Coordinates of all heavy atoms in Angstrom, one line a residue:
A1 N -106.7 -44.2 -76.6 CA -107.5 -44.6 -77.8 C -108.8 -45.3 -77.4 O -108.7 -46.1 -76.5 CB -106.6 -45.5 -78.8
P2 N -109.9 -45.1 -78.2 CA -111.1 -45.8 -77.8 C -111.0 -47.3 -78.5 O -110.5 -47.4 -79.6 CB -112.2 -44.9 -78.5 CG -111.6 -44.2 -79.6 CD -110.0 -44.0 -79.1
V3 N -111.7 -48.2 -77.8 CA -111.7 -49.6 -78.4 C -113.2 -50.1 -78.1 O -113.8 -49.8 -77.1 CB -110.8 -50.5 -77.6 CG1 -111.0 -51.9 -78.0 CG2 -109.4 -50.0 -77.7
T4 N -113.6 -50.8 -79.1 CA -114.8 -51.5 -79.0 C -114.7 -53.0 -79.2 O -114.0 -53.5 -80.1 CB -115.9 -51.1 -80.2 OG1 -116.1 -49.7 -80.1 CG2 -117.2 -51.8 -80.2
C5 N -115.2 -53.7 -78.2 CA -115.2 -55.2 -78.2 C -116.6 -55.8 -78.4 O -117.4 -55.3 -77.7 CB -114.6 -55.7 -76.8 SG -112.9 -55.2 -76.4
T6 N -116.6 -56.6 -79.5 CA -117.9 -57.3 -79.7 C -117.8 -58.7 -79.5 O -116.6 -59.4 -79.8 CB -118.4 -57.0 -81.0 OG1 -117.5 -57.3 -82.0 CG2 -118.7 -55.5 -81.1
T7 N -118.8 -59.3 -79.0 CA -118.8 -60.8 -78.7 C -120.2 -61.4 -79.4 O -121.2 -60.7 -79.4 CB -118.8 -61.2 -77.3 OG1 -120.1 -60.6 -76.6 CG2 -117.6 -60.5 -76.6
R8 N -120.0 -62.6 -79.9 CA -121.2 -63.3 -80.4 C -121.1 -64.7 -80.2 O -120.2 -65.4 -80.4 CB -121.2 -63.1 -82.0 CG -122.3 -63.6 -82.7 CD -122.4 -63.2 -84.2 NE -121.1 -63.7 -84.9 CZ -121.0 -64.9 -85.5 NH1 -122.1 -65.8 -85.5 NH2 -119.9 -65.2 -86.1
V9 N -122.4 -65.2 -79.6 CA -122.4 -66.7 -79.3 C -122.4 -67.5 -80.8 O -123.2 -67.1 -81.6 CB -123.8 -67.1 -78.6 CG1 -124.0 -68.5 -78.5 CG2 -123.9 -66.3 -77.3
I10 N -121.5 -68.4 -80.9 CA -121.5 -69.2 -81.9 C -121.9 -70.7 -81.7 O -122.1 -71.4 -82.6 CB -120.0 -69.1 -82.8 CG1 -118.9 -69.7 -81.8 CG2 -119.8 -67.8 -83.2 CD1 -117.6 -69.9 -82.5
Q11 N -121.8 -71.1 -80.4 CA -122.2 -72.5 -80.1 C -122.5 -72.6 -78.6 O -121.9 -72.0 -77.8 CB -121.1 -73.4 -80.3 CG -121.5 -74.8 -80.1 CD -120.2 -75.8 -80.5 OE1 -119.2 -75.3 -80.4 NE2 -120.5 -76.9 -81.0
A12 N -123.7 -73.2 -78.4 CA -124.1 -73.4 -76.9 C -124.4 -75.0 -76.9 O -125.5 -75.4 -77.4 CB -125.2 -72.6 -76.5
E13 N -123.6 -75.7 -76.0 CA -123.9 -77.2 -76.0 C -123.7 -77.6 -74.6 O -122.6 -77.3 -73.9 CB -122.8 -78.0 -76.6 CG -123.0 -78.1 -78.2 CD -122.0 -79.1 -78.9 OE1 -121.5 -80.0 -78.1 OE2 -121.9 -79.0 -80.0
G14 N -124.8 -78.0 -73.9 CA -124.7 -78.4 -72.5 C -124.4 -77.1 -71.6 O -125.0 -76.0 -71.8
A15 N -123.4 -77.2 -70.9 CA -123.0 -76.2 -70.0 C -122.0 -75.3 -70.5 O -121.5 -74.5 -69.8 CB -122.6 -76.6 -68.6
Q16 N -121.6 -75.5 -71.8 CA -120.5 -74.7 -72.4 C -121.0 -73.8 -73.5 O -121.7 -74.3 -74.3 CB -119.3 -75.7 -72.9 CG -118.8 -76.6 -71.9 CD -117.6 -77.3 -72.4 OE1 -117.2 -77.4 -73.5 NE2 -117.0 -78.1 -71.6
I17 N -120.6 -72.6 -73.5 CA -120.9 -71.5 -74.6 C -119.8 -71.0 -75.2 O -118.7 -70.7 -74.3 CB -121.8 -70.5 -74.0 CG1 -123.0 -71.0 -73.3 CG2 -122.1 -69.4 -74.9 CD1 -123.1 -71.3 -71.8
T18 N -119.6 -71.0 -76.5 CA -118.5 -70.5 -77.2 C -118.9 -69.2 -78.0 O -119.9 -69.0 -78.5 CB -118.0 -71.5 -78.2 OG1 -117.7 -72.8 -77.5 CG2 -116.8 -71.0 -79.0
F19 N -118.0 -68.2 -77.8 CA -118.2 -66.9 -78.4 C -117.0 -66.7 -79.3 O -115.9 -67.0 -79.1 CB -118.1 -65.9 -77.3 CG -119.2 -65.8 -76.5 CD1 -119.3 -66.6 -75.3 CD2 -120.2 -64.7 -76.6 CE1 -120.4 -66.6 -74.5 CE2 -121.3 -64.6 -75.8 CZ -121.5 -65.5 -74.6
Q20 N -117.4 -66.0 -80.5 CA -116.5 -65.2 -81.4 C -116.3 -63.9 -80.8 O -117.3 -63.3 -80.4 CB -116.9 -65.2 -82.8 CG -115.9 -64.5 -83.6 CD -116.4 -64.4 -85.0 OE1 -117.6 -64.6 -85.4 NE2 -115.4 -64.1 -85.9
V21 N -115.0 -63.5 -80.5 CA -114.8 -62.2 -79.9 C -113.8 -61.4 -80.9 O -113.1 -61.9 -81.6 CB -114.0 -62.3 -78.5 CG1 -115.1 -63.0 -77.7 CG2 -112.9 -63.0 -78.6
E22 N -114.1 -60.1 -80.9 CA -113.2 -59.2 -81.6 C -113.1 -57.9 -81.1 O -113.9 -57.5 -80.3 CB -113.5 -59.2 -83.1 CG -114.7 -58.6 -83.7 CD -114.8 -58.5 -85.1 OE1 -114.4 -59.6 -85.7 OE2 -115.2 -57.6 -85.7
A23 N -112.0 -57.2 -81.3 CA -111.8 -55.7 -80.7 C -111.3 -55.0 -81.7 O -110.5 -55.4 -82.6 CB -110.8 -55.8 -79.5
R24 N -111.9 -53.8 -81.9 CA -111.4 -52.6 -83.0 C -111.0 -51.4 -82.2 O -111.7 -51.2 -81.3 CB -112.5 -52.4 -83.9 CG -112.8 -53.6 -84.7 CD -114.0 -53.3 -85.8 NE -114.2 -54.4 -86.6 CZ -113.6 -54.5 -87.7 NH1 -112.6 -53.8 -88.1 NH2 -113.8 -55.6 -88.5
D25 N -110.0 -50.6 -82.8 CA -109.7 -49.4 -82.3 C -110.4 -48.6 -83.4 O -111.1 -48.9 -84.3 CB -108.3 -49.1 -81.9 CG -107.3 -49.2 -83.2 OD1 -107.8 -49.3 -84.3 OD2 -106.2 -49.4 -82.7
A26 N -110.1 -47.1 -83.3 CA -110.7 -46.3 -84.4 C -110.1 -46.4 -85.8 O -110.7 -46.0 -86.7 CB -110.4 -44.8 -83.9
Y27 N -109.1 -47.3 -85.8 CA -108.3 -47.4 -87.2 C -108.5 -48.8 -87.8 O -108.6 -49.0 -88.9 CB -107.0 -47.1 -87.0 CG -106.6 -45.7 -86.7 CD1 -106.5 -45.5 -85.3 CD2 -106.7 -44.7 -87.5 CE1 -106.1 -44.1 -84.8 CE2 -106.3 -43.5 -87.2 CZ -106.2 -43.2 -85.8 OH -105.9 -41.8 -85.3
E28 N -108.6 -49.9 -87.0 CA -108.6 -51.1 -87.5 C -109.0 -52.2 -86.5 O -109.1 -52.0 -85.3 CB -107.1 -51.5 -88.0 CG -106.1 -51.5 -86.8 CD -104.7 -51.6 -87.3 OE1 -104.5 -52.1 -88.4 OE2 -103.7 -51.0 -86.5
L29 N -109.3 -53.5 -87.0 CA -109.4 -54.6 -86.2 C -108.0 -54.9 -85.5 O -107.1 -55.0 -86.1 CB -109.8 -55.9 -87.1 CG -110.0 -57.1 -86.4 CD1 -111.2 -57.0 -85.6 CD2 -110.1 -58.3 -87.4
I30 N -108.2 -55.0 -84.1 CA -106.8 -55.2 -83.3 C -106.7 -56.6 -82.8 O -105.6 -57.1 -82.5 CB -106.7 -54.1 -82.3 CG1 -107.8 -54.3 -81.2 CG2 -106.6 -52.9 -83.0 CD1 -107.6 -53.5 -80.0
A31 N -107.9 -57.3 -82.6 CA -107.8 -58.7 -82.1 C -109.1 -59.5 -82.5 O -110.2 -58.8 -82.6 CB -107.8 -58.6 -80.6
R32 N -108.9 -60.8 -82.7 CA -109.9 -61.7 -83.0 C -109.7 -63.0 -82.4 O -108.6 -63.4 -82.3 CB -110.2 -61.7 -84.4 CG -111.3 -62.8 -84.9 CD -111.5 -62.8 -86.3 NE -112.3 -61.6 -86.8 CZ -112.0 -61.1 -88.0 NH1 -111.2 -61.5 -88.9 NH2 -112.7 -60.0 -88.4

């Protein structure tokens, strides 16, 4: 099955960067 993972920066403080991440297959959101 194909999967698409997307990431988005939600915070950058000092040397630390936080991302929201999610993965979808052809049918649904599979992880967040």
Side-chain angles (χ1 to χ4, degrees):
V3 175
T4 300
C5 300
T6 57
T7 64
R8 182 173 59 86
V9 172
I10 60 169
Q11 186 176 31
E13 281 188 23
Q16 295 184 6
I17 298 99
T18 304
F19 288 80
Q20 179 181 13
V21 298
E22 63 179 46
R24 295 181 174 276
D25 63 20
Y27 299 97
E28 63 191 329
L29 179 69
I30 61 168
R32 177 180 285 150

